[in-house]
mmCIF file of all heavy atoms in Angstrom:
data_model
loop_
_atom_site.group_PDB
_atom_site.id
_atom_site.type_symbol
_atom_site.label_atom_id
_atom_site.label_comp_id
_atom_site.label_asym_id
_atom_site.label_seq_id
_atom_site.Cartn_x
_atom_site.Cartn_y
_atom_site.Cartn_z
ATOM 1 N N ASP A 1 10.396 1.624 1.098
ATOM 2 C CA ASP A 1 10.311 2.546 2.229
ATOM 3 C C ASP A 1 11.635 2.514 2.989
ATOM 4 O O ASP A 1 12.525 1.708 2.696
ATOM 5 C CB ASP A 1 9.149 2.133 3.146
ATOM 6 C CG ASP A 1 8.580 3.300 3.933
ATOM 7 O OD1 ASP A 1 9.282 4.327 4.066
ATOM 8 O OD2 ASP A 1 7.444 3.190 4.418
ATOM 9 N N SER A 2 11.768 3.361 3.993
ATOM 10 C CA SER A 2 12.950 3.333 4.857
ATOM 11 C C SER A 2 13.062 1.971 5.531
ATOM 12 O O SER A 2 12.065 1.356 5.908
ATOM 13 C CB SER A 2 12.838 4.428 5.914
ATOM 14 O OG SER A 2 13.858 4.288 6.883
ATOM 15 N N MET A 3 14.287 1.493 5.704
ATOM 16 C CA MET A 3 14.476 0.168 6.281
ATOM 17 C C MET A 3 13.970 0.089 7.716
ATOM 18 O O MET A 3 13.314 -0.865 8.105
ATOM 19 C CB MET A 3 15.951 -0.238 6.237
ATOM 20 C CG MET A 3 16.223 -1.587 6.886
ATOM 21 S SD MET A 3 17.900 -2.165 6.648
ATOM 22 C CE MET A 3 17.827 -2.691 4.941
ATOM 23 N N LEU A 4 14.265 1.104 8.518
ATOM 24 C CA LEU A 4 13.904 1.045 9.933
ATOM 25 C C LEU A 4 12.524 1.642 10.176
ATOM 26 O O LEU A 4 12.253 2.773 9.761
ATOM 27 C CB LEU A 4 14.929 1.801 10.772
ATOM 28 C CG LEU A 4 16.351 1.248 10.760
ATOM 29 C CD1 LEU A 4 17.252 2.122 11.627
ATOM 30 C CD2 LEU A 4 16.394 -0.179 11.244
ATOM 31 N N PRO A 5 11.646 0.918 10.852
ATOM 32 C CA PRO A 5 10.326 1.481 11.173
ATOM 33 C C PRO A 5 10.400 2.806 11.917
ATOM 34 O O PRO A 5 9.528 3.659 11.753
ATOM 35 C CB PRO A 5 9.687 0.386 12.049
ATOM 36 C CG PRO A 5 10.357 -0.866 11.625
ATOM 37 C CD PRO A 5 11.770 -0.474 11.289
ATOM 38 N N VAL A 6 11.441 2.993 12.731
ATOM 39 C CA VAL A 6 11.550 4.247 13.491
ATOM 40 C C VAL A 6 11.790 5.442 12.578
ATOM 41 O O VAL A 6 11.611 6.590 12.990
ATOM 42 C CB VAL A 6 12.696 4.164 14.528
ATOM 43 C CG1 VAL A 6 12.373 3.141 15.591
ATOM 44 C CG2 VAL A 6 14.035 3.852 13.865
ATOM 45 N N ASN A 7 12.195 5.197 11.315
ATOM 46 C CA ASN A 7 12.424 6.284 10.368
ATOM 47 C C ASN A 7 11.262 6.480 9.409
ATOM 48 O O ASN A 7 11.397 7.202 8.425
ATOM 49 C CB ASN A 7 13.701 6.019 9.564
ATOM 50 C CG ASN A 7 14.950 6.110 10.417
ATOM 51 O OD1 ASN A 7 14.956 6.787 11.441
ATOM 52 N ND2 ASN A 7 16.010 5.428 10.012
ATOM 53 N N ARG A 8 10.139 5.826 9.677
ATOM 54 C CA ARG A 8 8.958 5.988 8.835
ATOM 55 C C ARG A 8 7.944 6.857 9.587
ATOM 56 O O ARG A 8 7.391 6.427 10.604
ATOM 57 C CB ARG A 8 8.325 4.636 8.514
ATOM 58 C CG ARG A 8 9.264 3.663 7.839
ATOM 59 C CD ARG A 8 8.590 2.324 7.592
ATOM 60 N NE ARG A 8 9.569 1.278 7.350
ATOM 61 C CZ ARG A 8 9.290 -0.006 7.237
ATOM 62 N NH1 ARG A 8 8.036 -0.418 7.336
ATOM 63 N NH2 ARG A 8 10.242 -0.894 7.030
ATOM 64 N N PRO A 9 7.684 8.063 9.124
ATOM 65 C CA PRO A 9 6.724 8.934 9.828
ATOM 66 C C PRO A 9 5.367 8.263 9.999
ATOM 67 O O PRO A 9 4.830 7.685 9.061
ATOM 68 C CB PRO A 9 6.630 10.158 8.908
ATOM 69 C CG PRO A 9 7.906 10.148 8.133
ATOM 70 C CD PRO A 9 8.251 8.701 7.931
ATOM 71 N N ARG A 10 4.857 8.314 11.197
ATOM 72 C CA ARG A 10 3.512 7.824 11.528
ATOM 73 C C ARG A 10 3.341 6.322 11.314
ATOM 74 O O ARG A 10 2.229 5.835 11.152
ATOM 75 C CB ARG A 10 2.446 8.598 10.734
ATOM 76 C CG ARG A 10 2.417 10.076 11.037
ATOM 77 C CD ARG A 10 1.427 10.827 10.164
ATOM 78 N NE ARG A 10 1.758 10.710 8.748
ATOM 79 C CZ ARG A 10 2.694 11.435 8.133
ATOM 80 N NH1 ARG A 10 3.389 12.318 8.809
ATOM 81 N NH2 ARG A 10 2.932 11.278 6.859
ATOM 82 N N PHE A 11 4.436 5.563 11.298
ATOM 83 C CA PHE A 11 4.298 4.108 11.174
ATOM 84 C C PHE A 11 3.587 3.570 12.407
ATOM 85 O O PHE A 11 3.991 3.850 13.547
ATOM 86 C CB PHE A 11 5.680 3.462 11.028
ATOM 87 C CG PHE A 11 5.615 1.960 10.849
ATOM 88 C CD1 PHE A 11 5.072 1.412 9.700
ATOM 89 C CD2 PHE A 11 6.076 1.109 11.832
ATOM 90 C CE1 PHE A 11 5.008 0.045 9.524
ATOM 91 C CE2 PHE A 11 6.019 -0.267 11.664
ATOM 92 C CZ PHE A 11 5.482 -0.797 10.516
ATOM 93 N N ASP A 12 2.511 2.796 12.203
ATOM 94 C CA ASP A 12 1.645 2.398 13.320
ATOM 95 C C ASP A 12 1.583 0.892 13.551
ATOM 96 O O ASP A 12 0.808 0.417 14.369
ATOM 97 C CB ASP A 12 0.226 2.941 13.116
ATOM 98 C CG ASP A 12 -0.390 2.487 11.789
ATOM 99 O OD1 ASP A 12 0.197 1.617 11.113
ATOM 100 O OD2 ASP A 12 -1.467 3.007 11.439
ATOM 101 N N TRP A 13 2.382 0.097 12.818
ATOM 102 C CA TRP A 13 2.365 -1.361 12.949
ATOM 103 C C TRP A 13 1.006 -1.965 12.611
ATOM 104 O O TRP A 13 0.653 -3.040 13.067
ATOM 105 C CB TRP A 13 2.806 -1.812 14.347
ATOM 106 C CG TRP A 13 4.266 -1.620 14.582
ATOM 107 C CD1 TRP A 13 4.854 -0.568 15.230
ATOM 108 C CD2 TRP A 13 5.335 -2.470 14.164
ATOM 109 N NE1 TRP A 13 6.224 -0.703 15.219
ATOM 110 C CE2 TRP A 13 6.553 -1.866 14.587
ATOM 111 C CE3 TRP A 13 5.385 -3.681 13.467
ATOM 112 C CZ2 TRP A 13 7.788 -2.437 14.335
ATOM 113 C CZ3 TRP A 13 6.627 -4.243 13.225
ATOM 114 C CH2 TRP A 13 7.812 -3.632 13.659
ATOM 115 N N LEU A 14 0.237 -1.271 11.777
ATOM 116 C CA LEU A 14 -1.052 -1.806 11.318
ATOM 117 C C LEU A 14 -1.026 -2.178 9.843
ATOM 118 O O LEU A 14 -1.928 -2.846 9.353
ATOM 119 C CB LEU A 14 -2.176 -0.794 11.573
ATOM 120 C CG LEU A 14 -2.557 -0.561 13.041
ATOM 121 C CD1 LEU A 14 -3.574 0.566 13.146
ATOM 122 C CD2 LEU A 14 -3.120 -1.840 13.651
ATOM 123 N N GLY A 15 -0.013 -1.735 9.131
ATOM 124 C CA GLY A 15 0.093 -2.019 7.709
ATOM 125 C C GLY A 15 1.363 -1.406 7.175
ATOM 126 O O GLY A 15 2.124 -0.770 7.904
ATOM 127 N N PHE A 16 1.590 -1.588 5.865
ATOM 128 C CA PHE A 16 2.834 -1.131 5.260
ATOM 129 C C PHE A 16 2.539 -0.237 4.073
ATOM 130 O O PHE A 16 1.853 -0.636 3.124
ATOM 131 C CB PHE A 16 3.678 -2.327 4.831
ATOM 132 C CG PHE A 16 4.072 -3.210 5.977
ATOM 133 C CD1 PHE A 16 3.389 -4.391 6.217
ATOM 134 C CD2 PHE A 16 5.095 -2.840 6.834
ATOM 135 C CE1 PHE A 16 3.728 -5.201 7.282
ATOM 136 C CE2 PHE A 16 5.443 -3.644 7.913
ATOM 137 C CZ PHE A 16 4.763 -4.825 8.137
ATOM 138 N N GLU A 17 3.088 0.978 4.132
ATOM 139 C CA GLU A 17 2.842 1.931 3.062
ATOM 140 C C GLU A 17 3.391 1.425 1.730
ATOM 141 O O GLU A 17 2.823 1.696 0.672
ATOM 142 C CB GLU A 17 3.456 3.284 3.406
ATOM 143 C CG GLU A 17 3.048 4.385 2.452
ATOM 144 C CD GLU A 17 3.467 5.769 2.916
ATOM 145 O OE1 GLU A 17 4.251 5.867 3.887
ATOM 146 O OE2 GLU A 17 3.013 6.755 2.304
ATOM 147 N N ALA A 18 4.485 0.674 1.773
ATOM 148 C CA ALA A 18 5.037 0.126 0.526
ATOM 149 C C ALA A 18 4.008 -0.744 -0.181
ATOM 150 O O ALA A 18 3.897 -0.708 -1.418
ATOM 151 C CB ALA A 18 6.300 -0.672 0.817
ATOM 152 N N ASN A 19 3.252 -1.538 0.566
ATOM 153 C CA ASN A 19 2.166 -2.332 -0.030
ATOM 154 C C ASN A 19 1.160 -1.434 -0.734
ATOM 155 O O ASN A 19 0.759 -1.677 -1.877
ATOM 156 C CB ASN A 19 1.424 -3.116 1.053
ATOM 157 C CG ASN A 19 2.081 -4.424 1.427
ATOM 158 O OD1 ASN A 19 2.867 -4.969 0.673
ATOM 159 N ND2 ASN A 19 1.739 -4.944 2.591
ATOM 160 N N ARG A 20 0.742 -0.407 -0.024
ATOM 161 C CA ARG A 20 -0.319 0.456 -0.541
ATOM 162 C C ARG A 20 0.142 1.232 -1.780
ATOM 163 O O ARG A 20 -0.612 1.394 -2.745
ATOM 164 C CB ARG A 20 -0.785 1.408 0.560
ATOM 165 C CG ARG A 20 -1.410 0.698 1.756
ATOM 166 C CD ARG A 20 -2.040 1.660 2.741
ATOM 167 N NE ARG A 20 -1.061 2.384 3.525
ATOM 168 C CZ ARG A 20 -0.562 1.977 4.694
ATOM 169 N NH1 ARG A 20 -0.937 0.808 5.208
ATOM 170 N NH2 ARG A 20 0.291 2.729 5.353
ATOM 171 N N VAL A 21 1.381 1.705 -1.763
ATOM 172 C CA VAL A 21 1.895 2.483 -2.892
ATOM 173 C C VAL A 21 2.106 1.592 -4.115
ATOM 174 O O VAL A 21 1.742 1.963 -5.242
ATOM 175 C CB VAL A 21 3.201 3.195 -2.495
ATOM 176 C CG1 VAL A 21 3.850 3.836 -3.725
ATOM 177 C CG2 VAL A 21 2.929 4.251 -1.430
ATOM 178 N N ALA A 22 2.701 0.407 -3.914
ATOM 179 C CA ALA A 22 2.912 -0.514 -5.042
ATOM 180 C C ALA A 22 1.581 -0.908 -5.665
ATOM 181 O O ALA A 22 1.451 -0.979 -6.898
ATOM 182 C CB ALA A 22 3.675 -1.752 -4.580
ATOM 183 N N ALA A 23 0.584 -1.176 -4.825
ATOM 184 C CA ALA A 23 -0.738 -1.533 -5.336
ATOM 185 C C ALA A 23 -1.361 -0.380 -6.111
ATOM 186 O O ALA A 23 -1.944 -0.575 -7.190
ATOM 187 C CB ALA A 23 -1.647 -1.948 -4.184
ATOM 188 N N LYS A 24 -1.227 0.820 -5.590
ATOM 189 C CA LYS A 24 -1.784 1.999 -6.264
ATOM 190 C C LYS A 24 -1.169 2.163 -7.656
ATOM 191 O O LYS A 24 -1.874 2.451 -8.634
ATOM 192 C CB LYS A 24 -1.535 3.247 -5.418
ATOM 193 C CG LYS A 24 -2.145 4.537 -5.976
ATOM 194 C CD LYS A 24 -1.964 5.680 -4.971
ATOM 195 C CE LYS A 24 -2.667 6.952 -5.461
ATOM 196 N NZ LYS A 24 -1.961 7.554 -6.624
ATOM 197 N N GLN A 25 0.146 1.979 -7.751
ATOM 198 C CA GLN A 25 0.813 2.089 -9.047
ATOM 199 C C GLN A 25 0.243 1.064 -10.042
ATOM 200 O O GLN A 25 -0.082 1.401 -11.186
ATOM 201 C CB GLN A 25 2.308 1.867 -8.881
ATOM 202 C CG GLN A 25 3.035 2.946 -8.095
ATOM 203 C CD GLN A 25 4.474 2.542 -7.769
ATOM 204 O OE1 GLN A 25 4.932 1.464 -8.144
ATOM 205 N NE2 GLN A 25 5.192 3.412 -7.066
ATOM 206 N N ALA A 26 0.154 -0.184 -9.597
ATOM 207 C CA ALA A 26 -0.320 -1.245 -10.493
ATOM 208 C C ALA A 26 -1.793 -1.058 -10.854
ATOM 209 O O ALA A 26 -2.188 -1.264 -12.012
ATOM 210 C CB ALA A 26 -0.101 -2.602 -9.838
ATOM 211 N N TYR A 27 -2.620 -0.694 -9.866
ATOM 212 C CA TYR A 27 -4.042 -0.513 -10.123
ATOM 213 C C TYR A 27 -4.279 0.619 -11.124
ATOM 214 O O TYR A 27 -5.142 0.514 -12.007
ATOM 215 C CB TYR A 27 -4.786 -0.197 -8.822
ATOM 216 C CG TYR A 27 -4.874 -1.338 -7.836
ATOM 217 C CD1 TYR A 27 -5.132 -1.092 -6.486
ATOM 218 C CD2 TYR A 27 -4.696 -2.658 -8.235
ATOM 219 C CE1 TYR A 27 -5.227 -2.130 -5.573
ATOM 220 C CE2 TYR A 27 -4.774 -3.698 -7.327
ATOM 221 C CZ TYR A 27 -5.043 -3.426 -5.983
ATOM 222 O OH TYR A 27 -5.129 -4.457 -5.083
ATOM 223 N N GLU A 28 -3.551 1.717 -10.994
ATOM 224 C CA GLU A 28 -3.748 2.843 -11.911
ATOM 225 C C GLU A 28 -3.390 2.453 -13.331
ATOM 226 O O GLU A 28 -4.095 2.816 -14.285
ATOM 227 C CB GLU A 28 -2.907 4.039 -11.441
ATOM 228 C CG GLU A 28 -3.472 4.731 -10.207
ATOM 229 C CD GLU A 28 -2.654 5.931 -9.793
ATOM 230 O OE1 GLU A 28 -1.561 6.159 -10.379
ATOM 231 O OE2 GLU A 28 -3.097 6.662 -8.872
ATOM 232 N N GLN A 29 -2.294 1.709 -13.502
ATOM 233 C CA GLN A 29 -1.911 1.277 -14.846
ATOM 234 C C GLN A 29 -2.948 0.325 -15.446
ATOM 235 O O GLN A 29 -3.257 0.392 -16.640
ATOM 236 C CB GLN A 29 -0.549 0.590 -14.799
ATOM 237 C CG GLN A 29 0.610 1.504 -14.432
ATOM 238 C CD GLN A 29 1.881 0.726 -14.176
ATOM 239 O OE1 GLN A 29 2.209 -0.189 -14.922
ATOM 240 N NE2 GLN A 29 2.603 1.091 -13.127
ATOM 241 N N ALA A 30 -3.474 -0.560 -14.610
ATOM 242 C CA ALA A 30 -4.428 -1.565 -15.081
ATOM 243 C C ALA A 30 -5.852 -1.033 -15.177
ATOM 244 O O ALA A 30 -6.724 -1.704 -15.733
ATOM 245 C CB ALA A 30 -4.400 -2.774 -14.152
ATOM 246 N N GLY A 31 -6.085 0.161 -14.620
ATOM 247 C CA GLY A 31 -7.436 0.726 -14.624
ATOM 248 C C GLY A 31 -8.357 0.066 -13.620
ATOM 249 O O GLY A 31 -9.582 0.035 -13.806
ATOM 250 N N ILE A 32 -7.805 -0.437 -12.531
ATOM 251 C CA ILE A 32 -8.606 -1.109 -11.500
ATOM 252 C C ILE A 32 -8.982 -0.108 -10.408
ATOM 253 O O ILE A 32 -8.115 0.542 -9.817
ATOM 254 C CB ILE A 32 -7.822 -2.292 -10.895
ATOM 255 C CG1 ILE A 32 -7.695 -3.409 -11.927
ATOM 256 C CG2 ILE A 32 -8.495 -2.816 -9.623
ATOM 257 C CD1 ILE A 32 -6.882 -4.588 -11.463
ATOM 258 N N ARG A 33 -10.262 -0.013 -10.129
ATOM 259 C CA ARG A 33 -10.755 0.898 -9.094
ATOM 260 C C ARG A 33 -11.283 0.155 -7.881
ATOM 261 O O ARG A 33 -11.274 0.686 -6.773
ATOM 262 C CB ARG A 33 -11.854 1.793 -9.683
ATOM 263 C CG ARG A 33 -11.333 2.720 -10.778
ATOM 264 C CD ARG A 33 -12.437 3.561 -11.384
ATOM 265 N NE ARG A 33 -11.916 4.465 -12.406
ATOM 266 C CZ ARG A 33 -12.672 5.201 -13.208
ATOM 267 N NH1 ARG A 33 -14.003 5.129 -13.111
ATOM 268 N NH2 ARG A 33 -12.118 6.001 -14.102
ATOM 269 N N ASN A 34 -11.766 -1.053 -8.092
ATOM 270 C CA ASN A 34 -12.294 -1.850 -6.973
ATOM 271 C C ASN A 34 -11.683 -3.245 -7.049
ATOM 272 O O ASN A 34 -12.257 -4.138 -7.662
ATOM 273 C CB ASN A 34 -13.818 -1.923 -7.042
ATOM 274 C CG ASN A 34 -14.423 -2.566 -5.805
ATOM 275 O OD1 ASN A 34 -13.801 -3.397 -5.138
ATOM 276 N ND2 ASN A 34 -15.653 -2.195 -5.479
ATOM 277 N N PRO A 35 -10.502 -3.433 -6.437
ATOM 278 C CA PRO A 35 -9.816 -4.725 -6.586
ATOM 279 C C PRO A 35 -10.625 -5.909 -6.083
ATOM 280 O O PRO A 35 -10.555 -6.998 -6.654
ATOM 281 C CB PRO A 35 -8.521 -4.537 -5.783
ATOM 282 C CG PRO A 35 -8.771 -3.347 -4.903
ATOM 283 C CD PRO A 35 -9.728 -2.485 -5.628
ATOM 284 N N ARG A 36 -11.402 -5.722 -5.043
ATOM 285 C CA ARG A 36 -12.206 -6.826 -4.498
ATOM 286 C C ARG A 36 -13.189 -7.354 -5.532
ATOM 287 O O ARG A 36 -13.405 -8.565 -5.646
ATOM 288 C CB ARG A 36 -12.944 -6.339 -3.243
ATOM 289 C CG ARG A 36 -13.985 -7.285 -2.658
ATOM 290 C CD ARG A 36 -13.353 -8.494 -1.954
ATOM 291 N NE ARG A 36 -14.367 -9.215 -1.208
ATOM 292 C CZ ARG A 36 -14.649 -9.016 0.075
ATOM 293 N NH1 ARG A 36 -13.985 -8.102 0.771
ATOM 294 N NH2 ARG A 36 -15.578 -9.717 0.687
ATOM 295 N N LYS A 37 -13.766 -6.459 -6.321
ATOM 296 C CA LYS A 37 -14.757 -6.873 -7.311
ATOM 297 C C LYS A 37 -14.158 -7.192 -8.666
ATOM 298 O O LYS A 37 -14.681 -8.045 -9.399
ATOM 299 C CB LYS A 37 -15.824 -5.777 -7.458
ATOM 300 C CG LYS A 37 -16.730 -5.631 -6.243
ATOM 301 C CD LYS A 37 -17.844 -4.634 -6.507
ATOM 302 C CE LYS A 37 -18.802 -4.554 -5.323
ATOM 303 N NZ LYS A 37 -19.910 -3.584 -5.568
ATOM 304 N N GLU A 38 -13.060 -6.518 -9.015
ATOM 305 C CA GLU A 38 -12.525 -6.665 -10.366
ATOM 306 C C GLU A 38 -11.519 -7.803 -10.506
ATOM 307 O O GLU A 38 -11.400 -8.395 -11.580
ATOM 308 C CB GLU A 38 -11.899 -5.351 -10.814
ATOM 309 C CG GLU A 38 -12.910 -4.217 -10.965
ATOM 310 C CD GLU A 38 -12.251 -2.910 -11.365
ATOM 311 O OE1 GLU A 38 -11.682 -2.856 -12.462
ATOM 312 O OE2 GLU A 38 -12.305 -1.952 -10.563
ATOM 313 N N LEU A 39 -10.794 -8.105 -9.443
ATOM 314 C CA LEU A 39 -9.835 -9.207 -9.506
ATOM 315 C C LEU A 39 -10.554 -10.543 -9.301
ATOM 316 O O LEU A 39 -11.521 -10.635 -8.545
ATOM 317 C CB LEU A 39 -8.759 -9.041 -8.425
ATOM 318 C CG LEU A 39 -7.790 -7.872 -8.598
ATOM 319 C CD1 LEU A 39 -6.933 -7.723 -7.349
ATOM 320 C CD2 LEU A 39 -6.920 -8.053 -9.833
ATOM 321 N N ASP A 40 -10.043 -11.566 -9.956
ATOM 322 C CA ASP A 40 -10.622 -12.908 -9.839
ATOM 323 C C ASP A 40 -9.736 -13.856 -9.040
ATOM 324 O O ASP A 40 -10.205 -14.908 -8.596
ATOM 325 C CB ASP A 40 -10.857 -13.493 -11.235
ATOM 326 C CG ASP A 40 -11.806 -12.645 -12.053
ATOM 327 O OD1 ASP A 40 -12.956 -12.464 -11.626
ATOM 328 O OD2 ASP A 40 -11.386 -12.144 -13.121
#
């Protein structure tokens, strides 16, 4: 993501979009739909 939080649209200091996007990429490749139940 952009280095500065002020340059991230709608950044709310509640989480990080980079986390969510990286996870989405990995989950789609692995075929994971419910990480809480499928991951050990």
